[in-house]
Amino acid sequence: MTTILIKNAEIVTMNRKSEIITGDILIENDRITAIGPDLDPAQVDKIIDATNRTVIPGFVQTHIHLCQTLFRGKGDDLELMDWLKKRIWPLEASHDEESIYYSALLGIGELIQSGTTTIVDMETVHHTDFAFQAIASSGIRALSGKVMMDKGDEVPYALREKTADSLQQSVDLLEKWHGYDDGRIQYAFSPRFVISCTEELLREVRSLSEQYQVKVHTHASENLGEIEIVQAETGMRNVVYLDHLGLANERLILAHCIWLDEEEKRIIHERGVHVSHCPGSNLKLASGIAETPEMLKMDISVSLGADGAPCNNNLDMFNEMRLAALIQKPIHGPTAMNAQTVFRMATIGGARAVGMEKEIGSIEVGKKADLAILDLVNFHTYPSFDVDPISRIVYSATRADVETTIINGRIVMENRIMRTIDKDIVLPEANRSIQRLLKRSNLR
Ligand SMILES: [Zn+2]
């Protein structure tokens, strides 16, 4: 058994009472087994002195594309459909096993360094096994799946798949990876969006997700042009169509949901669908601003995600939290989205979306030890006297303030040093890989 004792920390628990306490955290193997002042267990393997440090639950990002991390800076200043057709699909079509692997490690390195401990990840059509290998070795908690696209205009040849192949490959990956490392890795069916998928595929995904009890992760109502296409093809709006196919339920995670009408909001609320809000991506792709204050008022499950590196261009939850709060204020007033609400979306809200609110998302005895230790003793985070710690985290802190990250009881970054990913290998390999993909896709 490995035991870690974190001593003398300011602990932002995000428990039911949202308590912020000063004390110690005992971690035994993968779980938090005690929280309190002056814990003095007989024997510990490691003591972390967290005096003047703030411990928070690890962030849960509910919409990420690790396979796109290599495309950072390659899709700037475009709208969604152009961004997909001109840049992202040709680059995804050019991926090989090695490039998928290093794209994932590059992204996970950034995520761990900025305090994210759980992700919901959408890969590309091929080579997803190599993303899972990177997830497995890095120690991050993830729900991931190969993207499914058996239909669509201007889709490169290498991304076109037959319905049966798409389903079979998804099930093969699920059977190999779902439940890996005591459930640290889970599979999620990942149809890209309605435009990319036949009705047959989506109906089959619905029954497979029920059969295996796994999540379905897709995009919806991100862009007005997208909605027009969906309406022309199906006669329905996105969420109405997904509901019509039986997909709208508590296993569905929908990224974006910017342009919902009243009926769609009602469906999302009644069926318990989870919304992943991606403010950075939504602004950069000029998609729009989701009505998150209204959704939260309706008690819709809303969490946060950075989306992919080429539409953000960071995978940094501090950035997303800040944007999620600020973008609502000019429209709905200064109190429309406060720091506490945003921090909740980034932690326990994300845990709710992935169906793990009893396991992660807060610092409580019995929960998995997924947490980040912040050093908020700095010019940009002071004064600290009489300032709400959550205000300091959401409005002042940056990812550079994350000092140590623990996932599933394992220290994956300590004092800014990555323990599971070798930066000196991953950075040059990322450059080599993107060079290869640009050549193959004729984008350079
Ligand atoms: Zn996305």
Side-chain angles (χ1 to χ4, degrees):
M1 185 161 76
T2 315
T3 53
I4 302 170
L5 182 64
I6 301 172
K7 290 289 293 175
N8 207 21
E10 175 181 62
I11 307 166
V12 181
T13 64
M14 295 310 282
N15 64 14
R16 222 168 280 266
K17 290 190 232 158
S18 295
E19 284 173 307
I20 298 173
I21 53 177
T22 299
D24 307 342
I25 302 169
L26 180 66
I27 299 167
E28 293 180 282
N29 290 332
D30 57 335
R31 295 207 181 257
I32 297 165
T33 53
I35 300 169
D38 303 317
L39 296 182
D40 191 16
Q43 203 189 345
V44 283
D45 299 305
K46 186 172 179 72
I47 294 175
I48 298 174
D49 178 9
T51 309
N52 293 323
R53 296 292 180 268
T54 301
V55 184
I56 61 170
F59 295 124
V60 181
Q61 294 213 39
T62 53
H63 186 58
I64 291 284
H65 300 261
L66 291 177
C67 67
Q68 295 176 4
T69 323
L70 288 184
F71 318 156
R72 196 196 312 270
K74 297 291 188 291
D76 288 347
D77 310 324
L78 292 166
E79 246 196 82
L80 178 68
M81 291 315 291
D82 283 340
W83 178 83
L84 280 171
K85 289 178 179 177
K86 292 181 179 162
R87 302 293 159 86
I88 301 310
W89 286 348
L91 285 166
E92 281 194 17
S94 307
H95 256 309
D96 52 49
E97 295 170 346
E98 220 183 326
S99 61
I100 286 285
Y101 181 73
Y102 286 111
S103 192
L105 283 183
L106 187 68
I108 298 167
E110 182 184 0
L111 289 157
I112 286 175
Q113 232 178 22
S114 46
T116 292
T117 53
T118 297
I119 55 168
V120 181
D121 169 49
M122 181 182 289
E123 287 298 314
T124 185
V125 172
H126 301 294
H127 318 300
T128 300
D129 194 65
F130 289 80
F132 276 112
Q133 290 179 34
I135 290 166
S137 66
S138 70
I140 199 163
R141 190 181 302 287
L143 290 77
S144 180
K146 79 168 229 77
V147 87
M148 307 174 89
M149 19 190 340
D150 66 338
K151 150 177 174 297
D153 292 336
E154 297 172 60
V155 177
Y157 182 73
L159 295 185
R160 290 172 193 223
E161 48 179 4
K162 295 206 173 80
T163 310
D165 294 343
S166 184
L167 292 162
Q168 189 56 52
Q169 286 166 21
S170 298
V171 169
D172 289 347
L173 285 161
L174 182 156
E175 288 186 341
K176 181 169 178 189
W177 290 103
H178 186 63
Y180 176 91
D181 191 16
D182 198 23
R184 176 168 62 82
I185 297 180
Q186 294 176 44
Y187 197 79
F189 287 103
S190 309
R192 182 155 225 141
F193 57 167
V194 168
I195 297 172
S196 292
C197 301
T198 60
E199 187 176 324
E200 186 194 350
L201 181 105
L202 292 171
R203 284 191 187 277
E204 209 42 52
V205 163
R206 190 210 73 85
S207 50
L208 286 167
S209 94
E210 179 156 356
Q211 182 190 332
Y212 289 100
Q213 287 295 304
V214 299
K215 297 281 177 189
V216 177
H217 174 209
T218 188
H219 301 93
S221 293
E222 177 174 5
N223 176 286
L224 289 171
E226 166 216 347
I227 291 168
E228 266 174 41
I229 299 171
V230 172
Q231 225 155 0
E233 287 180 357
T234 68
M236 290 175 236
R237 294 177 68 90
N238 268 290
V239 178
V240 178
Y241 179 62
L242 293 170
D243 187 43
H244 169 75
L245 301 179
L247 275 159
N249 57 43
E250 72 292 344
R251 288 190 303 279
L252 184 64
I253 300 171
L254 282 185
H256 308 307
C257 295
I258 299 169
W259 302 104
L260 303 173
D261 71 4
E262 293 310 312
E263 188 185 6
E264 289 178 295
K265 281 179 216 158
R266 182 186 55 76
I267 292 169
I268 286 176
H269 174 240
E270 281 176 8
R271 304 279 191 270
V273 173
H274 306 279
V275 172
S276 179
H277 175 44
C278 308
S281 163
N282 296 163
L283 291 173
K284 185 150 183 287
L285 291 172
S287 300
I289 295 175
E291 289 174 17
T292 50
E294 195 195 339
M295 289 191 232
L296 289 170
K297 230 174 257 166
M298 292 175 71
D299 197 33
I300 288 174
S301 158
V302 185
S303 50
L304 292 172
D307 207 348
C311 63
N312 191 308
N313 294 358
N314 292 294
L315 307 180
D316 172 7
M317 189 58 112
F318 289 91
N319 217 7
E320 297 311 306
M321 289 193 297
R322 185 176 168 79
L323 286 174
L326 298 195
I327 58 173
Q328 301 299 338
K329 295 178 187 289
I331 310 168
H332 300 292
T335 59
M337 190 63 76
N338 63 27
Q340 289 73 19
T341 306
V342 166
F343 192 68
R344 180 160 285 279
M345 286 198 272
T347 54
I348 193 73
R352 177 182 172 194
V354 299
M356 295 186 73
E357 63 269 47
K358 293 202 172 95
E359 293 279 63
I360 58 172
S362 62
I363 300 176
E364 293 180 80
V365 171
K367 280 204 169 183
K368 295 274 191 186
D370 286 15
L371 44 89
I373 304 176
L374 313 181
D375 174 6
L376 300 180
V377 183
N378 218 323
F379 292 109
H380 65 277
T381 42
Y382 258 64
S384 63
F385 181 77
D386 199 31
V387 181
D388 178 351
I390 293 178
S391 162
R392 298 176 75 205
I393 294 162
V394 171
Y395 290 137
S396 309
T398 73
R399 60 173 152 194
D401 304 326
V402 180
E403 199 172 64
T404 294
T405 305
I406 297 175
I407 307 174
N408 214 29
R410 180 184 183 191
I411 300 174
V412 289
M413 179 176 79
E414 186 175 15
N415 294 322
R416 301 291 296 164
I417 295 167
M418 301 295 289
R419 293 279 181 231
T420 58
I421 299 175
D422 190 340
K423 190 175 167 187
D424 294 338
I425 293 175
V426 172
L427 266 49
E429 288 295 348
N431 262 345
R432 254 193 291 276
S433 292
I434 186 62
Q435 224 174 316
R436 206 162 62 240
L437 302 195
L438 287 169
K439 203 169 160 203
R440 216 176 267 155
S441 60
N442 288 322
L443 279 181
R444 191 162 183 256

